[in-house]
Amino acid sequence: MQLSEVRRILSAEVLCGADRLEEEVSCACGSDFLSDVLAFVHEQNLLLTGMVNPQVIRTVEMTDIKCVVFVRGKRPGEDIVRMAEERGIVVMASPERLYTACGLLYSHGLRGN
């Protein structure tokens, strides 16, 4: 699934990385516990989370995730967006709740690992 499709499905706003929306993602995960992301996420390309702090970007960078979608209408600060942009990570913000966002993507064919 292309990131442009993720954006459409989740009614998300792209905060950085709009030039990379043609990139494909094949797996996703949803978590507000970054320690779980580090421990259990392998080969996922997309993270959905309600956590809004710089550790999210550091965690994503360590796990080679391409895109972070902040859910529940949360928006990261400029420092977080800038950090993601410097690392080539696409960042989106969606009004959907975490559970709903995961379900929407799953129902459109994006699976977890």
Side-chain angles (χ1 to χ4, degrees):
M1 175 182 293
Q2 287 189 332
L3 289 174
S4 60
E5 185 72 1
V6 171
R7 182 192 63 160
R8 184 189 66 74
I9 292 167
L10 298 181
S11 303
E13 177 184 353
V14 179
L15 304 178
C16 74
D19 58 326
R20 294 186 297 280
L21 294 182
E22 75 286 346
E23 289 187 24
E24 294 280 334
V25 290
S26 57
C27 290
C29 66
S31 182
D32 284 343
F33 295 105
L34 299 178
S35 57
D36 283 354
V37 173
L38 287 171
F40 301 110
V41 172
H42 305 287
E43 299 179 21
Q44 268 89 0
N45 311 117
L46 176 72
L47 172 65
L48 298 108
T49 187
M51 294 294 298
V52 182
N53 62 50
Q55 281 304 111
V56 171
I57 303 305
R58 290 184 188 103
T59 300
V60 165
E61 183 179 31
M62 290 171 40
T63 56
D64 294 325
I65 290 173
K66 295 179 183 183
C67 177
V68 177
V69 179
F70 292 99
V71 295
R72 298 192 292 270
K74 294 187 176 186
R75 297 180 60 85
E78 282 188 33
D79 58 329
I80 295 170
V81 174
R82 187 174 34 253
M83 189 181 203
E85 184 74 59
E86 290 169 358
R87 289 159 173 80
I89 299 164
V90 178
V91 174
M92 299 184 202
S94 172
E96 301 292 347
R97 292 178 176 229
L98 181 59
Y99 182 79
T100 304
C102 291
L104 285 168
L105 293 175
Y106 187 89
S107 71
H108 283 85
L110 189 62
R111 302 296 188 241
N113 190 2

